[in-house]
Amino acid sequence: MAHQSPTRSNRLHAGAAQIDITPQTDIHLAGAVGSFRPAQYVYDPLYARVLVLENGEKKICFVSLDLTIITEEWTEKIRRAVADECGLAPEAVMVHVTQTHSAPSLGHFMFDESFQETPPEMEWLRGGDPRYFDFAFERIVEAIKRANSALQPVQLRVGSGVEGRVAFNRRAIMNDDKVRMPGSKWENPLGPAYIRYMEGPIDPEVGVMCFQTDSVEMLAMLLHHTCHPVNIFPRPIVSADWPGAWSDAMRETFGGGCVPLVLNGCCGNINPWDPFNPDYVPDHQRMGSLLAKTTQAVIENLPYEGDVSLDWKVRRVKLPIRDVEPELLARSQKILEENPQPKWSEETPNQIDSEWIRAGSILSVHLRKKRAPDLDYEIQVLRVGKTAFVGLPGEPFVEGQLQLKMASPTYPTYIAHCTSHYVGYLPIPDAFPRGGHEVETRFWAKLEPEALKMVVGAATEVLHEVFGS
């Protein structure tokens, strides 16, 4: 547990900071499997945004990063680097990436570590670009230290609104009961006539937590919404996508001293692409602007919170890794035996042959299962007053988030996906027979169908333990 500071009253104190982590060179952008995407230019900058909270008894920290993925190795490095100097228990530091697909990753997340078929000159195939790692790490740590050194008394306000025009379920059920992901524009003038219905819901909640100084200046905000940040993707352009646009809009409203952290929810099956609007054009600025308008409406009606309790708890659960079907494994091994080195696609520039990528990814599931049959999954709950923040690694389907919000002993409960380490998708069981990108056996879809239910159950238990109910 964090040490109590003898110089602090039991009032809530907050410190916030943001530091630019935009890559300075042609760093590879993650998010497109098997595609080499060195950054060509910067549409908008990437930031590490940090909020440290202390109430005289406990201290917690939120870190929101405009990155695609963070691995367990780098999360642990960040936590260790600030633990002693900042008086932060490692488990009290939530490290979250918004998962913008127009940014680098911090660490490698593609293929199992024992998969040896990627040559050194193609290390980007593993998802990360090592030239970026230390650059980002140093700035993230500095942002935490700056936030920790800037603690001051604040008042807390929290509430939610709804914005249902910017995020859409991306799994379309067709006549054969299989799934297809609609694109960002209509391919047929008659529209996507192949769609019978969308498989699942969205979560339109817009969560807003404000930290204001005694002079009512907006020091920091925690903002929650749920959608894949893929408006700019797949172009090789650096962008924080809609989370960055939302943050920027809040700073324009409340001044450059305000640090708005976006916590993106469980968007494993949620995209910003409206499948039924023929005039839809991907526009992260529009999305950020609409979320900002909802946020402003929420703020106008927020009461001040008297409860300034802070707490945290982490539980690790074992999630089973799926078995690779024998025929699929044999076919993948044969492809890699015939092509031991990655080969470029003959049809698509800067793209590795999709058959080779698929084979390597399938074999990686098998190799990971051989090393250990289960994946060690971190569930993290941070408490701020009556509000719960739940950190879930990977890309859970939104149904899991909604189940967790309904089962939580407190309101509001906000979930942040892609925290601490990457594990791939956590779909609902009904999705598996229908197929699709999120469930077909790949390294990003390596868990058994019951994994999401296990996570929701364990997270619900932790919530009850933290909130004493």
Side-chain angles (χ1 to χ4, degrees):
M1 290 290 185
H3 299 295
Q4 180 174 352
S5 171
T7 61
R8 302 279 183 210
S9 70
N10 288 332
R11 282 197 62 186
L12 181 64
H13 288 66
Q18 70 174 46
I19 291 182
D20 193 315
I21 56 171
T22 309
Q24 304 297 298
T25 58
D26 59 344
I27 296 296
H28 169 67
L29 304 180
V33 178
S35 179
F36 182 48
R37 293 199 304 154
Q40 292 185 356
Y41 69 88
V42 177
Y43 191 107
D44 42 57
L46 310 179
Y47 288 100
R49 297 182 176 91
V50 176
L51 173 66
V52 176
L53 301 174
E54 185 180 33
N55 65 359
E57 297 178 355
K58 295 182 179 180
K59 183 187 285 189
I60 63 176
C61 176
F62 294 87
V63 181
S64 178
L65 306 173
D66 292 329
L67 298 176
T68 309
I69 299 294
I70 190 167
T71 62
E72 186 171 22
E73 173 192 3
W74 288 98
T75 293
E76 292 307 309
K77 285 183 177 181
I78 291 167
R79 287 171 169 172
R80 287 196 302 268
V82 301
D84 291 337
E85 181 174 338
C86 297
L88 283 161
E91 293 183 339
V93 179
M94 179 181 287
V95 182
H96 162 71
V97 296
T98 63
Q99 213 200 1
T100 170
H101 282 40
S102 301
S105 70
L106 187 48
H108 292 310
F109 61 96
M110 272 301 303
F111 302 119
D112 185 68
E113 62 186 47
S114 61
F115 182 76
Q116 301 296 326
E117 281 76 2
T118 51
E121 66 273 15
M122 301 181 78
E123 196 170 5
W124 58 267
L125 264 177
R126 294 187 172 273
D129 189 329
R131 296 175 298 167
Y132 181 71
F133 295 166
D134 286 336
F135 171 87
F137 168 73
E138 291 167 2
R139 284 156 181 77
I140 294 165
V141 170
E142 178 60 25
I144 297 172
K145 291 179 179 179
R146 287 187 189 181
N148 186 68
S149 65
L151 290 164
Q152 60 178 297
V154 292
Q155 300 179 76
L156 174 66
R157 302 168 70 197
V158 61
S160 290
V162 169
E163 174 51 74
R165 297 170 292 176
V166 297
F168 307 88
N169 196 285
R170 73 183 196 180
R171 287 177 54 84
I173 308 298
M174 301 182 290
N175 280 328
D176 59 1
D177 202 34
K178 297 299 182 182
V179 158
R180 177 176 170 183
M181 188 190 303
S184 60
K185 61 182 178 180
W186 281 16
E187 301 170 358
N188 185 315
L190 299 179
Y194 62 87
I195 298 178
R196 297 280 66 82
Y197 63 96
M198 306 310 290
E199 182 183 62
I202 65 168
D203 184 351
E205 184 171 22
V206 177
V208 181
M209 178 173 278
C210 300
F211 301 87
Q212 293 176 262
T213 66
D214 289 343
S215 58
V216 301
E217 293 180 355
M218 192 72 73
L219 178 71
M221 309 172 76
L222 289 172
L223 305 172
H224 166 73
H225 193 60
T226 303
C227 186
H228 254 81
V230 289
N231 286 286
I232 297 293
F233 175 84
R235 292 173 288 169
I237 299 168
V238 176
S239 172
D241 210 275
W242 67 262
W246 191 8
S247 293
D248 289 345
M250 292 296 92
R251 283 170 65 85
E252 288 177 9
T253 300
F254 296 108
C258 174
V259 179
L261 287 74
V262 172
L263 303 177
N264 192 5
C266 296
C267 59
N269 53 345
I270 307 296
N271 270 354
W273 307 333
D274 186 346
F276 300 118
N277 180 0
D279 300 318
Y280 172 77
V281 176
D283 186 343
H284 70 297
Q285 298 287 0
R286 171 185 174 273
M287 187 171 176
S289 177
L290 288 172
L291 290 168
K293 289 179 181 178
T294 302
T295 304
Q296 290 169 328
V298 172
I299 291 172
E300 291 174 5
N301 295 280
L302 287 185
Y304 286 97
E305 295 288 326
D307 187 338
V308 295
S309 304
L310 298 178
D311 205 354
W312 71 86
K313 192 175 184 67
V314 166
R315 178 182 296 183
R316 302 190 81 93
V317 296
K318 300 288 187 183
L319 301 182
I321 296 173
R322 64 205 292 185
D323 291 309
V324 179
E325 301 89 327
E327 291 185 5
L328 190 61
L329 177 61
R331 187 161 62 247
S332 299
Q333 290 172 326
K334 185 173 185 296
I335 290 171
L336 294 169
E337 287 170 3
E338 294 174 351
N339 301 277
Q341 295 292 308
K343 61 176 183 177
W344 292 100
S345 168
E346 296 178 359
E347 293 83 25
T348 308
N350 295 322
Q351 176 76 39
I352 297 298
D353 178 73
S354 60
E355 188 177 66
W356 192 95
I357 290 291
R358 185 163 51 248
S361 186
I362 291 168
L363 178 59
S364 288
V365 178
H366 175 70
L367 294 172
R368 178 62 178 83
K369 176 88 173 185
K370 282 180 64 177
R371 287 198 296 112
D374 298 314
L375 187 148
D376 200 23
Y377 186 93
E378 178 187 281
I379 296 169
Q380 183 179 31
V381 172
L382 301 187
R383 175 177 181 172
V384 182
K386 297 177 181 178
T387 304
F389 295 89
V390 183
L392 299 180
E395 301 181 69
F397 273 25
V398 72
E399 288 90 339
Q401 171 168 293
L402 294 170
Q403 292 165 10
L404 192 51
K405 288 183 176 183
M406 293 293 290
S408 175
T410 191
Y411 175 84
T413 295
Y414 302 131
I415 291 87
H417 87 322
C418 276
T419 55
S420 71
H421 58 120
Y422 187 69
V423 305
Y425 289 98
L426 288 88
I428 56 173
D430 288 349
F432 284 82
R434 296 189 177 114
H437 169 75
E438 303 91 350
V439 302
E440 294 171 351
T441 304
R442 303 288 187 272
F443 199 61
W444 59 85
K446 56 182 170 287
L447 297 174
E448 291 282 8
E450 66 266 27
L452 182 60
K453 182 179 179 180
M454 295 171 65
V455 168
V456 171
T460 301
E461 291 177 1
V462 177
L463 280 166
H464 280 276
E465 291 169 5
V466 170
F467 284 85
S469 58

